[in-house]
Amino acid sequence: MSWVGDTEHFLLYLAAECGLSTHYRESVRHTLTQFVAWCQERGYAAADITETLLAEYRRHLHDRGLALSSCRIAVVHLRRFFKYLHARKALPQNPAELVRGGVVHRQLPDTLAAQTVSALLNSIDPQELPFGARDRAMLEMLYGSGLRVSELTSLRADRINWEESFLRITGKGGKTRYVPLGAMAAKAVRHYVQHARPKLENAHRRVPQLFLSNRGAALTRERIRQIICTRAQQAGIDEHVFPHILRHSFATHLLENGADLRVIQDMLGHADLATTQIYTHVEAKRLVGLHRTFHPRGRKPDTPN
């Protein structure tokens, strides 16, 4: 089978048998496209790939300036791909079985101060119909419920329980979780649904997604990112503001105010508590900064003893 046939069958397998999201499959497709191009330049078929060649490809990614975390993701994708080919008897052995992605030094996530988030949200007038109401509702929900942008784009109005104030979210791997809808977010979303969404609906093409474009289609991830960047600039915020920073801020601010880490894990939809624990490092870093700033023994002396 050709490289194209192998990769397309693998992507179908990820969708049909593994139930993995479109976003994940597109990430895998990107990895395989880059890898196949590298192999074809050198005349390698799938049967030619060895552990040594995969290690060489990993060095190639590193030499191109790819971040260690991105190299590691690419290696994970390739390991899964070759495991699939081996399991389907397309290869006599799995050349990627022993290949590792290298040590990744996890960076602390970027967050916004609570005052900055408030300034961003309050800068959007919900009475400006339809876009002010829509954008205010989106940002209130991203920050108030800690949603991933992919979860926001796929969210439907019938997934909101107005009486109990929670959302039914389908996250990574098709897993369902229930997330509280805060009072401010609920008010903004209700206002959007009642007064703005009808103005955005397309009579010829009804879509179930909650947040719509000016043409009545579901908003894309990229369009939401653009909207948030524009709104941040209009609010005079110098920091780089993007959808996921609101999710990071949601978790960090909960932790700062005493929320239990496992509760935050459930709300974020993390399968592993270790993923959520990164926010304890954010809080620890903040506390160290406060100590150095305000404690009389926290600052370094100007001159050595």
Side-chain angles (χ1 to χ4, degrees), residues 33-76:
T33 299
Q34 299 293 318
F35 176 69
V36 168
W38 182 83
C39 290
Q40 289 177 333
E41 286 178 3
R42 292 156 179 79
Y44 298 142
D48 300 323
I49 303 303
T50 63
E51 180 185 340
T52 301
L53 286 178
L54 286 172
E56 180 183 337
Y57 180 67
R58 184 182 62 192
R59 289 192 296 272
H60 163 74
L61 294 178
H62 179 72
D63 292 342
R64 281 177 48 208
L66 207 64
L68 281 174
S69 56
S70 299
C71 290
R72 181 176 181 272
I73 290 171
V75 169
V76 169

Side-chain angles (χ1 to χ4, degrees), residues 110-124:
D110 293 326
T111 61
L112 299 172
Q115 297 90 333
T116 303
V117 177
S118 294
L120 172 62
L121 296 174
N122 293 334
S123 70
I124 306 172

Side-chain angles (χ1 to χ4, degrees), residues 167-187:
L167 309 171
R168 182 155 61 93
I169 300 297
T170 301
K172 287 186 176 181
K175 295 180 180 178
T176 299
R177 71 182 190 278
Y178 297 91
V179 181
L181 181 65
M184 298 296 289
K187 179 182 177 181

Side-chain angles (χ1 to χ4, degrees), residues 8-195:
E8 289 303 320
H9 277 76
F10 177 59
L11 292 167
L12 286 173
Y13 159 77
L14 294 180
E17 297 190 33
C18 302
L20 294 171
S21 69
T22 302
H23 178 62
Y24 180 84
R25 298 197 309 272
E26 286 304 311
S27 177
V28 173
R29 181 186 294 277
H30 176 74
T31 294
L32 294 180
T33 299
Q34 299 293 318
F35 176 69
V36 168
W38 182 83
C39 290
Q40 289 177 333
E41 286 178 3
R42 292 156 179 79
Y44 298 142
D48 300 323
I49 303 303
T50 63
E51 180 185 340
T52 301
L53 286 178
L54 286 172
E56 180 183 337
Y57 180 67
R58 184 182 62 192
R59 289 192 296 272
H60 163 74
L61 294 178
H62 179 72
D63 292 342
R64 281 177 48 208
L66 207 64
L68 281 174
S69 56
S70 299
C71 290
R72 181 176 181 272
I73 290 171
V75 169
V76 169
H77 291 167
L78 291 173
R79 289 183 66 199
R80 190 166 194 167
F81 174 59
F82 282 104
K83 182 179 180 181
Y84 165 83
L85 293 182
H86 176 56
R88 295 300 190 277
K89 311 298 183 184
L91 293 177
Q93 60 186 12
N94 178 4
E97 190 171 8
L98 300 178
V99 176
R100 294 291 180 267
V103 177
V104 176
H105 302 284
R106 177 175 286 185
Q107 292 183 328
L108 297 183
D110 293 326
T111 61
L112 299 172
Q115 297 90 333
T116 303
V117 177
S118 294
L120 172 62
L121 296 174
N122 293 334
S123 70
I124 306 172
D125 182 6
Q127 301 307 318
E128 177 203 324
L129 298 177
F131 302 116
R134 181 198 64 185
D135 297 353
R136 177 68 174 264
M138 287 195 309
L139 270 70
E140 290 278 8
M141 189 170 280
L142 284 170
Y143 174 64
S145 298
L147 302 186
R148 300 178 178 95
V149 67
S150 58
E151 295 167 349
L152 187 75
T153 58
S154 61
L155 181 65
R156 294 166 19 186
D158 61 5
R159 296 295 190 266
I160 303 175
N161 185 316
W162 294 106
E163 292 182 2
E164 302 295 333
S165 293
F166 67 80
L167 309 171
R168 182 155 61 93
I169 300 297
T170 301
K172 287 186 176 181
K175 295 180 180 178
T176 299
R177 71 182 190 278
Y178 297 91
V179 181
L181 181 65
M184 298 296 289
K187 179 182 177 181
V189 175
R190 193 185 294 274
H191 175 71
Y192 161 71
V193 170
Q194 292 175 349
H195 301 287

Side-chain angles (χ1 to χ4, degrees), residues 139-301:
L139 270 70
E140 290 278 8
M141 189 170 280
L142 284 170
Y143 174 64
S145 298
L147 302 186
R148 300 178 178 95
V149 67
S150 58
E151 295 167 349
L152 187 75
T153 58
S154 61
L155 181 65
R156 294 166 19 186
D158 61 5
R159 296 295 190 266
I160 303 175
N161 185 316
W162 294 106
E163 292 182 2
E164 302 295 333
S165 293
F166 67 80
L167 309 171
R168 182 155 61 93
I169 300 297
T170 301
K172 287 186 176 181
K175 295 180 180 178
T176 299
R177 71 182 190 278
Y178 297 91
V179 181
L181 181 65
M184 298 296 289
K187 179 182 177 181
V189 175
R190 193 185 294 274
H191 175 71
Y192 161 71
V193 170
Q194 292 175 349
H195 301 287
R197 194 177 189 278
K199 296 179 181 296
L200 295 170
E201 289 177 342
N202 186 329
H204 303 290
R205 182 178 60 174
R206 299 278 180 169
V207 297
Q209 284 82 4
L210 179 61
F211 292 107
L212 304 179
S213 70
N214 60 342
R215 297 182 179 180
L219 284 172
T220 63
R221 295 158 49 94
E222 178 59 24
R223 181 61 188 136
I224 291 175
R225 187 194 67 79
Q226 292 171 351
I227 290 169
I228 291 174
C229 287
T230 299
R231 290 294 185 179
Q233 291 172 357
Q234 292 172 346
I237 297 172
D238 295 330
E239 297 169 74
H240 177 44
V241 181
F242 49 95
H244 218 66
I245 202 172
L246 295 172
R247 177 171 159 91
H248 290 323
S249 301
F250 161 83
T252 302
H253 297 164
L254 280 175
L255 190 64
E256 287 177 357
N257 287 284
D260 182 82
L261 196 63
R262 289 198 176 274
V263 173
I264 298 173
Q265 176 192 3
D266 290 340
M267 286 194 282
L268 291 174
H270 287 162
D272 189 346
L273 184 62
T275 307
T276 316
Q277 284 175 331
I278 189 66
Y279 297 107
T280 64
H281 299 296
V282 176
E283 173 65 354
K285 184 178 180 181
R286 187 185 73 89
L287 292 175
V288 168
L290 288 173
H291 184 274
R292 287 178 177 170
T293 301
F294 297 109
H295 194 280
R297 308 293 290 182
R299 294 183 291 274
K300 292 181 179 180

